[in-house]
Amino acid sequence: MEYYIVFAGVIEQNFANKLVIAINNAKIAKATKIIILFSSLGGNIQEGFTIASVIQNSAIPIAIHANNNIDSIANVIYLSSKERSAESYAKFYLHGATSPPIAYDVKGLKEQLLALKTENARIAQFVSENSGLNFNKVQTMMKTGTTITAQQSLQYGIVQSISHREVPVGATMEEILFEN
């Protein structure tokens, strides 16, 4: 049985927990495949890598279908799946990590700069290892802030196929959506 999860939210602890719970619910339901219809403007880097790890290590195969924006750390989550598809109108946005505005002394600023460089390198490494893009190309794209169409993402090995996908009528499904 295929188990569908519709995820349209930010990558932060609350939404990350909901996604992990939904994946566990699919296991409890004895799903043979999980399909995540995915859209996110990004969010917390740590939470993104945690979700990516859960997807990569799932006993049940997980396919991810980009159905809108895949921005920032959402690229890492998207690329964590072995099976990736996208709507023809989906877009992918790569950019460098940012830091919350906090007052630092000189030592604190140096530490924060090092932390940002490290985050950028680990994101670029993950994207490079899971797509057809080399590390330097990913770093350049992140430095300039690059938006890529689904068609370009197909050429870069980010997307494996472009297709339209909907949750079939009567399919088992969970929704994790932006909260108002």
Side-chain angles (χ1 to χ4, degrees), residues 53-117:
S53 181
V54 168
I55 290 168
Q56 287 178 321
N57 293 293
S58 174
I60 301 169
I62 297 177
I64 299 182
H65 182 75
N67 61 356
N68 198 357
N69 295 19
I70 305 297
D71 295 353
S72 195
I73 195 64
N75 285 284
V76 167
I77 295 168
Y78 181 78
L79 286 165
S80 68
S81 175
K82 300 271 186 269
E83 184 181 333
R84 303 181 301 268
S85 59
E87 294 290 334
S88 61
Y89 53 82
K91 73 143 185 100
F92 298 78
Y93 177 58
L94 291 167
H95 68 88
T98 58
S99 171
I102 299 173
Y104 291 104
D105 57 11
V106 172
K107 181 180 179 284
L109 285 171
K110 286 179 183 177
E111 289 172 355
Q112 189 60 27
L113 178 60
L114 180 59
L116 286 173
K117 286 180 179 180

Side-chain angles (χ1 to χ4, degrees), residues 1-5 26-27 29-36 60-61 63 83 165-174:
M1 160 190 71
E2 292 183 337
Y3 194 98
Y4 288 81
I5 300 170
K27 291 175 185 175
K30 305 220 183 303
T32 56
K33 183 175 186 178
I34 299 169
I35 300 165
I36 301 174
I60 301 169
E83 184 181 333
R165 189 165 215 166
E166 296 177 5
V167 177
V169 175
T172 304
M173 178 187 77
E174 282 191 57

Side-chain angles (χ1 to χ4, degrees), residues 17-51:
N17 288 343
K18 288 180 181 183
L19 183 54
V20 171
I21 289 168
I23 291 169
N24 285 332
N25 288 344
K27 291 175 185 175
I28 292 167
K30 305 220 183 303
T32 56
K33 183 175 186 178
I34 299 169
I35 300 165
I36 301 174
L37 301 170
F38 187 59
S39 176
S40 178
L41 298 175
N44 183 281
I45 294 169
Q46 179 181 339
E47 296 297 333
F49 274 105
T50 298
I51 294 169

Side-chain angles (χ1 to χ4, degrees), residues 6-10 15 37-40 67 175-179:
V6 178
F7 183 97
V10 294
F15 276 92
L37 301 170
F38 187 59
S39 176
S40 178
N67 61 356
E175 291 182 327
I176 305 164
L177 307 173
F178 285 108
E179 296 173 344

